[in-house]
Amino acid sequence: TDNAQPWSVTVIQGEARDKLSQRMLEAFDEGRDGTQTYKKYSANNTPLMKKGKETYGFELYEQKHGLSRDDKDGRRQKYRPNYEFWGAPVLLLLNLPTNAVAGTFIDVGSFMYAILLGMHAYGLGGKPLGSVAKYTDICREVLGSEGMPENEHLICGVCIGWPTGGRDPRETPDFFPSRLILDETTRWAVDSEWSKASQA
């Protein structure tokens, strides 16, 4: 908004990347799940939000991995690679100032989407990692205040690397969750002639 560009990015690779992953895995394996320093989830999801979340959970855990809803241990193990950064050699941390408001989060979301589109255009693989924001304290311990400033929220990570096996994500996508259908997310206030022409 107003070209404020409120985000900051920390690029992590090599020894720092490995140490950060190790520390996060240790915390995760000990059952210390942490929490974001900002409010991430709504306490009152709309019916469509609930539908989207439930469909995603079903498709990822039950259909793709064959894990029942009650298999918490199995699901947790499938979540664990988030802290291995899915094997990617580079991790970005996307931050916002602690005084960020709703519009500021829109800005960083647009910025992240541009990064992902650019990566995809070059055939790189990438995953947004909201999970790493649960361990802002570990990021600060490993990276220091220069890498994770005290006056910033860690919003999410983005891991970057070439897909395994030479897969080109532009031709062979990875797991892709279902989307709500157009009529569930879109309202139309258009002339009837325009509507008919657009559907022809």
Side-chain angles (χ1 to χ4, degrees), residues 15-190:
E15 183 179 349
R17 178 249 182 241
D18 295 345
K19 185 175 180 180
L20 187 62
S21 175
Q22 179 184 356
R23 291 288 305 281
M24 287 185 177
L25 286 168
E26 288 172 355
F28 182 77
D29 291 342
E30 291 170 4
R32 295 186 287 114
D33 289 338
T35 186
Q36 295 86 359
T37 58
Y38 63 94
K39 185 177 180 180
K40 183 176 181 181
Y41 298 108
S42 171
N44 298 294
N45 289 327
T46 66
L48 283 180
M49 291 168 68
K50 291 178 181 177
K51 178 181 177 181
K53 291 182 69 174
E54 290 173 358
T55 300
Y56 170 76
F58 173 75
E59 291 178 346
L60 177 63
Y61 291 110
E62 297 186 44
Q63 284 190 335
K64 181 177 174 62
H65 295 300
L67 299 170
S68 69
R69 182 182 289 267
D70 297 331
D71 190 353
K72 294 182 179 180
D73 290 339
R75 290 183 175 221
R76 190 171 178 82
Q77 287 305 306
K78 292 300 179 183
Y79 192 82
R80 191 177 187 274
N82 281 290
Y83 301 115
E84 298 172 338
F85 313 139
W86 296 94
V90 176
L91 176 71
L92 308 183
L93 299 182
L94 306 187
N95 288 13
L96 283 178
T98 51
N99 64 354
V101 295
T104 326
F105 282 80
I106 294 173
D107 289 339
V108 76
S110 300
F111 177 63
M112 180 181 71
Y113 194 55
I115 292 172
L116 292 169
L117 284 175
M119 290 162 46
H120 185 76
Y122 282 95
L124 283 161
K127 288 180 181 288
L129 299 174
S131 53
V132 302
K134 298 177 181 179
Y135 293 130
T136 302
D137 56 338
I138 292 177
C139 290
R140 191 164 289 129
E141 291 170 10
V142 172
L143 304 172
S145 58
E146 291 185 359
M148 185 60 239
E150 295 282 350
N151 63 347
E152 292 184 0
H153 289 302
L154 170 53
I155 304 304
C156 69
V158 178
C159 59
I160 304 174
W162 297 106
T164 57
R167 180 177 62 85
D168 188 333
R170 296 167 295 186
E171 299 176 359
T172 309
D174 197 356
F175 169 73
F176 191 87
S178 297
R179 299 289 186 256
L180 296 171
I181 62 173
L182 187 66
D183 288 343
E184 291 178 305
T185 61
T186 308
R187 304 182 185 93
W188 302 91
V190 299

